[in-house]
Amino acid sequence: MTDKNEWGSNLSFVFAMIGSAVGLGNIWRYPYVLYSNGGGAFYLPYIIAILLMGIPFLILEYGVGYNFKASFAKAVKKIDSKYEYLGWFLPVAVFMIMIYYSAILGWDGIYMILSFTKGWGADPNTFFTTTLLQSSGNYLHLAHFIPIIAIAMIIGWVIIWFISHRDLESGLGRVSKLLVPLLFIIMVVIVCFSLTLPGASIGLAELFNPDWAVLSDFGIWMAAFGQIVFSLSLGMSIAFTYASYTKDDADLITNTISIALANSLFENFAALGVFSILGYMSMQSGTAVADLVTQGTGLVFIVYPTVFNVLGDWAYILGPMFFLTVYLAGLTSILSTIEPLSFSIQNKFNLSRSKTMTILIIVGAAISMIYATSFGGDLLGFVDTFINQIALLFGVIVECVIFAWIFKADKLIDFLNSRSKTIKLGKWWILIVKYILPIFISIIWIGGIIDVVNSATITQLNFTIVSAILLLGASLVFTLLPAKNPDWDNACERV
Ligand code: PHE
């Protein structure tokens, strides 16, 4: 049977969820966000964002997901059939993330191999942008195909298929229990090594040096809330789907706390590693840490290779370990991005898990080939900005409103509390999920849109519009196609 969507144990659920949360954002985004938003002082808004938003929202998403024991689209339709469209919007948006994440995974795979010989040469910057990505900034170069990237990406898709098309527990469940602890162990080894490098303390002093004045800056608070949404994969229908796969006796509140804690632990650990390395580099090169620090692909594929170039023989061990960490972090996240859409399709069209996964992976892999072109790197940046700053946050607000207001989160309180061995929910939780969350996220969302509109070029705006049309169109198609499953209208509620 290849159709089972249930975790074998609570541990599988928790590890898979940590695997989804701990991703590239923890490695390449968080250290930069922490540094550029007041250093040590950032912890105040960060902790408030976790307590006020991360944990309460995750409990909401888990609670409703658990209640329905059904896919996101099916549950939203059940809550109110007028909103079925919104039930497809988020799973499709998350699937779009999957498609471009596969390109980053591919690049990282290539670097993992290169790191055995420092194959990026003396100038990692030129190597990444010109030699590997052949970045042209010209959309006409979508026709210029880069086979090596395509091959690396296809290998990633095959690995994903191998894990995802099986029953949930024998694929994703088992793999998460193996890879997530492995990821943490390798990370600890890398960070411990980095901390012993000469100059590490320079980097760490730069990182944590608190700038309390920034606390009065609204932007810092937005950065903290934005980081938590992204890092915990909040409101993306992933947590919902994972909770709907749980058995009947899950303690969701305690699970939420463990997951949020593990995620924060990992990203703060990553920050120690990144800034120790930057401190070392700063000492070797005489360049100030402030001039070295960056985020995103620049950090992983340019700054790190540059550091490995000056690190001598240790780099032949540290390099492969580092790119493996990034690969594992990316893989366990990407595996989560297919689940909401896959489960929704299984529910509506009565397809088996294995067939749905196979079809989605073939479609995803085919579309992802646009990223294996000379315009791929630029396109990836545009789509990422659109999805993260505009589409997902919109989905998050919608989810919050549908779950807290229309579904009425209040009715989950007694049930969630009866299972909880730690915190008990009270009126404060309702206040947060009904009022504070939607308001805060709306503010971040509007800020993000203004930011995109102000800074985008014409090419970027055009591709943003195309991405939006594809997202809206695909969601519409899934909504309009007639259901093949007689059970589509009867979501089973557990509470
Ligand atoms: N939470 C992941 C990270 O921190 C990113 C992610 C986003 C994963 C969306 C899955 C879906 O990198």
Side-chain angles (χ1 to χ4, degrees):
M1 176 121 160
T2 51
D3 216 9
K4 248 181 116 194
N5 286 307
E6 190 173 68
W7 301 115
S9 65
N10 189 51
L11 202 66
S12 306
F13 167 53
V14 171
F15 274 124
M17 208 39 229
I18 296 175
S20 170
V22 171
L24 300 172
N26 301 56
I27 299 175
W28 79 23
R29 191 167 185 274
Y30 178 74
Y32 184 83
V33 170
L34 172 62
Y35 171 77
S36 53
N37 289 289
F42 184 71
Y43 281 107
L44 189 66
Y46 177 73
I47 290 171
I48 292 179
I50 294 177
L51 296 179
L52 202 63
M53 184 175 77
I55 293 181
F57 197 163
L58 213 48
I59 294 177
L60 174 68
E61 216 184 325
Y62 281 155
V64 185
Y66 174 86
N67 176 54
F68 278 101
K69 207 180 173 39
S71 65
F72 190 74
K74 181 169 173 175
V76 171
K77 174 168 186 295
K78 177 74 186 178
I79 292 171
D80 189 331
S81 57
K82 291 201 285 297
Y83 300 126
E84 182 182 341
Y85 181 75
L86 296 168
W88 289 100
F89 178 87
L90 266 172
V92 173
V94 170
F95 184 63
M96 283 171 81
I97 299 191
M98 175 176 210
I99 297 176
Y100 69 76
Y101 240 64
S102 73
I104 304 172
L105 216 57
W107 302 343
D108 186 75
I110 295 175
Y111 271 78
M112 199 154 51
I113 311 277
L114 290 173
S115 61
F116 286 102
T117 57
K118 298 189 192 175
W120 45 72
D123 181 358
N125 192 355
T126 309
F127 179 85
F128 180 61
T129 42
T130 312
T131 316
L132 182 65
L133 300 191
Q134 303 177 22
S135 192
S136 63
N138 181 346
Y139 58 87
L140 294 175
H141 291 172
L142 272 173
H144 182 84
F145 196 60
I146 308 171
I148 180 78
I149 296 184
I151 293 169
M153 286 169 67
I154 288 171
I155 295 175
W157 283 107
V158 171
I159 298 175
I160 294 167
W161 177 81
F162 195 74
I163 299 168
S164 294
H165 85 285
R166 294 160 187 257
D167 278 0
L168 185 72
E169 179 59 27
S170 57
L172 187 59
R174 273 208 323 222
V175 165
S176 301
K177 282 188 284 190
L178 177 77
L179 294 191
V180 172
L182 183 67
L183 172 63
F184 274 70
I185 293 170
I186 307 179
M187 191 67 180
V188 169
V189 174
I190 295 183
V191 172
C192 290
F193 177 80
S194 308
L195 286 170
T196 65
L197 288 171
S201 57
I202 304 176
L204 295 181
E206 276 278 320
L207 172 64
F208 292 117
N209 177 24
D211 178 3
W212 297 106
V214 299
L215 288 182
S216 58
D217 175 357
F218 188 67
I220 303 298
W221 294 83
M222 283 208 343
F225 279 76
Q227 171 65 22
I228 291 301
V229 172
F230 184 80
S231 181
L232 277 176
S233 320
L234 277 190
M236 300 187 187
S237 67
I238 293 175
F240 178 99
T241 306
Y242 278 17
S244 74
Y245 294 154
T246 51
K247 291 190 165 161
D248 283 341
D249 56 355
D251 174 355
L252 295 169
I253 299 183
T254 310
N255 282 345
T256 305
I257 298 170
S258 328
I259 292 160
L261 244 139
N263 184 58
S264 288
L265 199 76
F266 189 94
E267 64 191 7
N268 282 289
F269 221 67
L272 291 182
V274 167
F275 276 81
S276 309
I277 285 267
L278 292 178
Y280 166 76
M281 187 66 195
S282 162
M283 204 170 118
Q284 299 295 316
S285 64
T287 318
V289 171
D291 295 327
L292 292 170
V293 64
T294 179
Q295 62 172 336
T297 48
L299 179 72
V300 171
F301 301 120
I302 300 174
V303 174
Y304 263 83
T306 311
V307 176
F308 294 141
N309 279 351
V310 290
L311 195 62
D313 287 345
W314 278 109
Y316 296 112
I317 300 171
L318 201 64
M321 271 170 86
F322 172 73
F323 291 110
L324 176 65
T325 311
V326 174
Y327 203 89
L328 292 180
L331 181 64
T332 52
S333 288
I334 205 174
L335 287 171
S336 73
T337 52
I338 195 170
E339 293 291 336
L341 186 59
S342 157
F343 195 29
S344 297
I345 291 177
Q346 291 168 49
N347 276 178
K348 184 164 186 177
F349 304 106
N350 213 4
L351 287 169
S352 69
R353 178 178 168 91
S354 102
K355 206 184 238 162
T356 312
M357 286 294 186
T358 307
I359 297 171
L360 276 180
I361 286 169
I362 293 173
V363 171
I367 302 176
S368 74
M369 289 300 124
I370 50 173
Y371 296 111
T373 63
S374 288
F375 191 61
D378 300 277
L379 186 63
L380 195 149
F382 300 158
V383 178
D384 179 55
T385 308
F386 165 68
I387 293 284
N388 275 311
Q389 297 213 27
I390 302 179
L392 273 185
L393 283 181
F394 170 73
V396 171
I397 299 167
V398 164
E399 181 178 314
C400 202
V401 171
I402 293 182
F403 288 177
W405 287 86
I406 303 173
F407 169 77
K408 293 193 179 54
D410 320 44
K411 57 185 179 204
L412 293 176
I413 292 191
D414 287 342
F415 149 76
L416 288 169
N417 282 347
S418 70
R419 303 286 167 87
S420 172
K421 292 189 208 64
T422 47
I423 302 180
K424 305 277 182 202
L425 304 178
K427 284 268 173 285
W428 56 270
W429 181 65
I430 295 297
L431 188 75
I432 292 178
V433 296
K434 274 194 157 161
Y435 301 96
I436 300 181
L437 274 177
I439 294 174
F440 248 105
I441 302 173
S442 302
I443 296 172
I444 303 177
W445 182 54
I446 293 168
I449 294 184
I450 295 176
D451 199 40
V452 172
V453 173
N454 281 341
S455 60
T457 59
I458 292 291
T459 317
Q460 174 166 7
L461 280 181
N462 287 339
F463 277 97
T464 303
I465 292 170
V466 174
S467 312
I469 292 173
L470 288 175
L471 168 58
L472 296 171
S475 311
L476 190 65
V477 169
F478 284 120
T479 312
L480 294 180
L481 282 175
K484 285 265 166 49
N485 191 348
D487 204 29
W488 174 241
D489 290 315
N490 335 312
C492 66
E493 292 193 60
R494 292 200 252 200
V495 175

